[in-house]
Structure formats: C-alpha cells, structure tokens
Amino acid sequence: MKNNLFDLAGRYFILMGKVLSKPEKRSIYGRRILAEIASLGLNSIGIVAIISVFMGAVITIQMALNLESPFIPKYLIGYAARESMLLEFSSTVVALILAGKVGSNIASEIGTMRITEQIDALEIMGVNSASYLILPKIVATVLFFPFLTILSMGIGVAGGYVVCVLTGIVNPEAYIVGVQSDFKPFYITYSLIKSSTFAFIITSISGFYGYYANGNSLEVGRASTQAVVVSSIVILIFNLILTQVLLT
Amino acid sequence: MIRAEHIVKSFDGRVVLNDISATFRTGTTNLIIGQSGSGKTVLLKSLVGLHRIDSGAIYYDDICFSQLGFRELKAIRREVGMLFQGGALLDSSNVEENVRLPLDLFTSQSAEEKRERVHFCLKRVNLENVDHLYPAELSGGMIKRVAIARAIVLNPKYLFCDEPNSGLDPMTSVVIDNLIKEITEEYNITTIINTHDMNSVLEIGEHVLFIYKGQKWWEGTKHDILHTDNRELNDFVFASTMAKRAKACSQIHLDEP
C-alpha cells in the first residue's frame, strides 16, 4: 500500500467525508457520544489533574528562581504561571499527553475491530462503519476536551499556589495578586479553540490509522504508534498556525 | 437466489478468481470448498460486496448487485446476514446489544418489541440467559450462535457464513451446521457457506462448489462427491487415511447387489 504524504492525506479526507456524513439514527449516536465522553473524557480527568498540578508547581518554582531581581515585583511570578498555563500548557501540552493516552486507545480499539472483522460485520449490516465508530469519538472529545483544559488551568494555578505555601519560595498573597492581574478573557477563548481543534486532530487521525490497520496485532501496535506520532506533529503545526492567526 | 457470472478478481496483478460462474439456490445450503489460498474467501467476500470484482456480474435474484451504487448497496445489505469466522461480535457490547444492533439502526420498533425479537433469535439458536454476557465471556460455539442470531435478526434473504466451524470441536460443529441448515430451510434463505470442513460438506452439502487455484473446478452435491473421479477434488476431500477408508467402504456398499 502506498504511504506517501499525498496518498495518506487523500485517504484521510475520504475517510472524513464518510465520518462526517449524515448519521443513520441520531438517538443511537447520542448514546454512543455519551459513552465516549465517559470513556475518553471522564477517564482522562485523573491524568490531566495530576499533570496540571505538578506543571503549575514546577512553573512557579522555575519562575521564582529565574526572576530573582529586586527590580521585578514578586507578583509577576503568579502572573507568568497563570499565563503559561492558560496560553500553552493547559491546551497544547495536555493535548500532547492526551494524544498518547486517547489517541493510542482509539487507534488500537478500531484497529483491533478491523483485524477481527468487526468493521466488516458493520459494513455487511449496511452501517456506515466509519461514521458509527469515529464520529461519536470526535464529537465527544471536541465537546469534552475544553472542560479538561479549564480543569487543567484551575488545577495548574492551584498547584503553583500550593508550592508557594509549602516552600515559601514566593509569598502566597503576591502569587494570588499576580494570578488576578491584567487578566485577558480572550486567552481562555483562544485556549479552548485550540483544545477543541486538537481534540479533532487526535481523534480523527487516530481513528484513521486504526480504521486502515490490517494484518495482525503487530500492525495494530504500529498503527497505534503512528497515530500518536502523527497526531503530536499535527498538533504542534496547528498550535503554531492558531497562535499566529488568533493572537497576532 | 444468487448468481455469479464470469467473476474475475485480482490483487496487485495476481489473479485470485478466474472466470467463476455459479448459481446458489434459495432454501439450499450452498457450500464453497477448497484448499487454503484457493480463493474461496475472496469469492465469498466478492459475493457479499466486501471486495469489488474486476469483471463479471453478481445477481441477487434479479438485481445486479455488482453494479449497485452506494445507497442501493446499503439498502440490499439490510437483507444480508453474515457469520464471520471469528464471530465478529462487537467486543464493547454484550450479547443482547450485539443482536439488537441491526434493530436499533434500521427499525423503528419499540424497546419491548426489540427485546422480544432478540430473545426469539437467541432462543432459536439455543441460547438463553446470556443477554448480559460480553463476547470475552462466551465459548467459541456460543460466539458463533450469537453471531447467527445477529445475522438473522432482520429476517435476511441471504446468509453468508465464512468457515462457521473453524475452532470448534466436532460435536459443536455439527450443531452449528444443522442450525444453519434448519434456518435456511425454515426462512427460505439463500445460504452460502465457505468451509474446508469435510464433515460439514457431507452433513449439509446440498450444493457444493469446489474452487481450485482460483477456478471453479467441480460442482455437485454431497452424494456426488463420493463418486467423483475428479482427481483434485478427491485429493482434497479424501486427504486423510481415514477419509480414504471411509470412501472405500462407501463404494463397497454401493457396489453390493
């Protein structure tokens, strides 16, 4: 099978055409979306929370160590930690981590369905298998990832506060002042747009690699790895594009 | 009835099916047999539309199946049931959900009607009280029976079975074979079974098609197989010493005055 970039892109867009076609029965898709929110979204809360709290704490410590100057007010550490979480970490870094967790899950699940003929069985029944399997995952993640991003922002900033209290590296009151200063609500919007876009990228690319997996379990593993690698690269490219488009 | 006319199918220039024509009658168990790699699975998948044929035609009754567009193909597939080699049940759904899936997607029946139909089909394949079990909790024979129940839940006109006995013990194989035969006759379905299990051939082979190196090599009934002088078919069917002895015995009995 050809695997050059144009061939892959062509097959990806053809698959997306099938995925985004009109669903057979909306009520079935509604139920599947809820199930996917539980499977892909709610099950990711734990890892997002753990990563965010440590990320917020580390950013705060590093800011405090690097901004040790009598000319720089201490509250700027809280400000910088908040901006880092809002602008980049809670959307992009969390998306890269979810590309590993959710992306490999989707690619291996759909890939296994392919090699065990479950997808053929759906096709024989007259079901649009691409739409039935991938669309609910896309909708679920596009809707739920922004909540994970908001959660990550809150927990990350709280992680910074906790480290201030525990280590005394920065005065906690100064940190809170920094967190509250010069707040731009658009940064939240920008971050949510990015997280929804990244959710689409992760789910559609992982679905694509799983759907076209063939052969045996080795191929499913390979498809899963490719899904994570390609999703991560595309996320970084779109991060650059969206930052340029939305912030400049 | 399903009719294949001069089917040719190749992969990357390698011809796998070469000019195959056959008629599979309604209410009859039609068997496709052949060695591994002979092209029988490709033939079955071509007949069901999972492979697009290079040339020739496939007719489902009077409809030229191989020429159908996406929408028409989708419509006719709702009249098709298929039993896959490994069952192909959805791992994330339990038995009831697996069997109910076609009803959920293509009918407007109430939940109660669907439940009744699912239980009827499960009972028909001799399965009860397994609704809540997941495929991983079922035995090979049970998986095949659930897959049959799912295949017949929409009252199909055409039933395809890809090696229904693979991985099953001889007793369960006979149960599955007889179940398929009973369902075929009961619902007057056109059934095509792909197998290399000789017990199945001699048990339910009302119409047998032998594929050899991608070509139709022989056609007949289970009774004809015992008397054929087709060398390739004999080599295939009576490959084991036990089968050769069985054939010799049957011929002695037939030759007796």
Side-chain angles (χ1 to χ4, degrees):
Chain A
M1 190 178 285
K2 291 176 198 166
N3 265 325
N4 65 51
L5 188 62
F6 292 110
D7 181 64
L8 279 175
R11 286 196 292 140
Y12 171 80
F13 286 113
I14 289 169
L15 180 70
M16 284 305 110
K18 278 178 78 179
V19 168
L20 301 173
S21 60
K22 195 180 162 206
E24 263 106 11
K25 214 167 184 181
R26 283 171 197 272
S27 58
I28 301 284
Y29 278 68
R31 283 205 293 272
R32 283 189 50 78
I33 288 167
L34 290 177
E36 296 296 353
I37 285 177
S39 161
L40 302 174
L42 294 175
N43 283 346
S44 301
I45 286 177
I47 190 167
V48 169
I50 290 168
I51 288 165
S52 301
V53 75
F54 281 98
M55 214 178 269
V58 170
I59 289 170
T60 305
I61 293 170
Q62 288 185 352
M63 288 294 169
L65 293 175
N66 286 290
L67 297 179
E68 266 192 19
S69 163
F71 300 107
I72 299 173
K74 288 291 179 195
Y75 79 89
L76 277 182
I77 293 163
Y79 171 80
R82 184 201 73 202
E83 294 294 80
S84 301
M85 290 303 298
L86 256 62
L87 287 169
E88 210 52 39
F89 284 91
S90 294
S91 52
T92 311
V93 176
V94 166
L96 288 170
I97 288 155
L98 290 176
K101 182 187 179 288
V102 174
S104 61
N105 176 309
I106 292 171
S108 55
E109 180 190 328
I110 296 177
T112 304
M113 291 184 78
R114 166 64 73 193
I115 65 166
T116 54
E117 297 182 312
Q118 293 175 48
I119 292 179
D120 286 344
L122 288 171
E123 289 287 329
I124 293 295
M125 284 180 218
V127 178
N128 177 348
S129 61
S131 173
Y132 181 78
L133 295 173
I134 302 174
L135 185 60
K137 293 183 195 298
I138 290 179
V139 175
T141 54
V142 167
L143 289 177
F144 200 80
F145 275 22
F147 287 103
L148 291 177
T149 302
I150 290 172
L151 184 78
S152 167
M153 289 170 184
I155 293 177
V157 170
Y161 179 76
V162 169
V163 91
C164 292
V165 172
L166 293 180
T167 65
I169 197 163
V170 183
N171 182 323
E173 283 76 31
Y175 180 83
I176 292 293
V177 170
V179 166
Q180 291 173 329
S181 65
D182 197 23
F183 174 65
K184 293 186 181 71
F186 178 71
Y187 284 179
I188 301 266
T189 311
Y190 158 76
S191 200
L192 297 185
I193 290 170
K194 283 207 302 184
S195 68
S196 281
T197 309
F198 297 156
F200 181 85
I201 289 168
I202 293 167
T203 325
S204 62
I205 289 178
S206 305
F208 168 76
Y209 276 102
Y211 196 80
Y212 286 114
N214 55 23
N216 52 27
S217 55
L218 285 177
E219 291 298 324
V220 174
R222 202 165 290 146
S224 184
T225 308
Q226 279 181 314
V228 175
V229 172
V230 175
S231 300
S232 301
I233 293 169
V234 176
I235 284 170
L236 293 174
I237 293 168
F238 270 81
N239 186 34
L240 181 68
I241 294 168
L242 288 173
T243 303
Q244 174 68 23
V245 170
L246 296 173
L247 287 188
T248 57
Chain B
M1 184 184 70
I2 293 178
R3 207 167 74 243
E5 287 184 358
H6 307 291
I7 293 181
V8 175
K9 174 70 187 170
S10 56
F11 293 102
D12 299 325
R14 194 172 64 88
V15 178
V16 178
L17 297 179
N18 191 3
D19 194 28
I20 291 186
S21 298
T23 300
F24 305 99
R25 290 189 306 277
T26 305
T28 306
T29 44
N30 302 278
L31 270 66
I32 301 171
I33 61 169
Q35 287 174 299
S36 299
S38 60
K40 59 185 190 304
T41 297
V42 176
L43 175 59
L44 191 82
K45 289 194 170 179
S46 299
L47 289 172
V48 82
L50 286 174
H51 290 319
R52 278 223 170 257
I53 53 174
D54 299 342
S55 63
I58 297 163
Y59 291 90
Y60 278 41
D61 293 314
D62 296 325
I63 301 164
C64 185
F65 178 74
S66 47
Q67 301 271 307
L68 293 179
F70 181 70
R71 278 180 198 282
E72 294 96 341
L73 198 62
K74 226 172 143 181
I76 206 163
R77 275 187 170 159
R78 287 170 198 175
E79 298 184 336
V80 172
M82 182 151 181
L83 171 60
F84 285 86
Q85 202 170 339
L89 300 180
L90 301 185
D91 292 331
S92 55
S93 304
N94 63 26
V95 167
E96 186 181 347
E97 289 161 351
N98 263 292
V99 179
R100 200 183 60 213
L101 181 65
L103 297 172
D104 284 340
L105 287 164
F106 304 121
T107 70
S108 50
Q109 291 178 356
S110 67
E112 190 51 41
E113 286 171 322
K114 284 181 204 168
R115 197 161 26 249
E116 272 178 27
R117 178 69 186 152
V118 167
H119 286 164
F120 173 80
C121 291
L122 286 172
K123 206 172 172 184
R124 184 64 196 82
V125 297
N126 305 318
L127 281 177
E128 283 179 274
N129 304 319
V130 293
D131 311 18
H132 59 288
L133 296 179
Y134 282 81
E137 300 170 298
L138 302 174
S139 68
M142 287 164 93
I143 286 175
K144 293 282 166 74
R145 281 189 272 171
V146 174
I148 293 173
R150 185 178 65 181
I152 62 170
V153 76
L154 283 178
N155 282 322
K157 285 170 73 178
Y158 316 99
L159 179 65
F160 296 85
C161 307
D162 186 16
E163 306 209 3
N165 297 331
S166 67
L168 300 182
D169 63 82
M171 274 178 72
T172 312
S173 295
V174 172
V175 170
I176 297 291
D177 282 342
N178 288 331
L179 187 60
I180 293 170
K181 189 171 186 321
E182 284 166 24
I183 286 168
T184 300
E185 289 167 0
E186 199 175 320
Y187 302 111
N188 202 30
I189 301 171
T190 306
T191 299
I192 304 178
I193 303 165
N194 182 1
T195 186
H196 52 222
D197 181 354
M198 284 311 112
N199 290 329
S200 301
V201 175
L202 299 174
E203 191 82 26
I204 59 167
E206 293 174 283
H207 171 225
V208 183
L209 190 74
F210 175 56
I211 304 293
Y212 182 72
K213 290 185 178 172
Q215 289 179 298
K216 185 173 94 176
W217 209 254
W218 184 89
E219 197 171 10
T221 67
K222 61 182 178 184
H223 305 293
D224 299 335
I225 284 183
L226 295 171
H227 315 294
T228 181
D229 53 1
N230 185 304
R231 193 167 60 85
E232 286 78 11
L233 179 61
N234 277 325
D235 288 348
F236 172 68
V237 175
F238 305 105
S240 69
T241 314
M242 201 172 83
K244 279 175 190 146
R245 282 183 188 157
K247 187 183 184 187
C249 284
S250 75
Q251 282 174 340
I252 289 166
H253 283 296
L254 287 166
D255 293 343
E256 281 173 0

